[in-house]
Amino acid sequence: QVQLVESGGGLVQAGDSLRLSCAASGRTFRPYAMAWFRQAPGKEREFVGGITWSGNTIYYVDSVKGRFTISRDAAKNTVYLQMSSLKPEDTALYYCAAAAAARRGIRWALQGDYDYWGQGTQVTVSS
């Protein structure tokens, strides 16, 4: 059973940076891709960015391009979300998700394409 555990959230001011981590359990964990989603209060969960486990493809939603960077450390089974120039509208519960290797393809923003989800870590950006 794969478990994803996010960490690194917190309360920051606008313009600050924050790095989220998502650690996956499972010695043989080799997903097809991993991604970050977020859900702001009163809004639906939305895709933020994703990375194939090979690292060959990285995709971001337009609102975070140039500010957020996704990376992964395969040896540690961990994916990161480096967030800079944070804005109050980035305030949300951030979730990590993984698509199983068997999928062989991903529709990044489609939540149903992900097989495993973390519990989320809260990011709050004050103005």
Side-chain angles (χ1 to χ4, degrees):
Q1 181 71 16
V2 173
Q3 289 189 325
L4 305 178
V5 179
E6 303 96 334
S7 62
L11 172 62
V12 297
Q13 294 186 333
D16 284 352
S17 297
L18 205 59
R19 189 178 81 158
L20 306 184
S21 299
C22 173
S25 64
R27 188 174 57 183
T28 59
F29 180 72
R30 287 294 183 271
Y32 176 78
M34 294 189 71
W36 289 94
F37 285 75
R38 66 185 180 186
Q39 186 169 20
K43 295 187 178 181
E44 294 185 352
R45 188 159 59 183
E46 65 173 2
F47 171 77
V48 174
I51 183 170
T52 53
W53 199 242
S54 67
N56 291 339
T57 302
I58 301 175
Y59 186 78
Y60 301 98
V61 68
D62 286 346
S63 60
V64 307
K65 282 181 181 177
R67 300 190 299 122
F68 290 12
T69 302
I70 291 176
S71 62
R72 96 282 182 257
D73 186 333
K76 296 182 178 180
N77 282 355
T78 300
V79 65
Y80 304 97
L81 181 66
Q82 178 68 48
M83 305 183 293
S84 60
S85 302
L86 282 163
K87 305 175 181 179
E89 51 264 43
D90 294 318
T91 294
L93 186 61
Y94 282 72
Y95 296 91
C96 172
R103 289 190 176 272
R104 307 256 181 222
I106 192 78
R107 292 166 289 183
W108 290 110
L110 187 63
Q111 296 184 45
D113 272 10
Y114 297 89
D115 302 284
Y116 309 102
W117 291 84
Q119 294 300 307
T121 185
Q122 179 67 39
V123 173
T124 303
V125 184
S126 64
S127 58

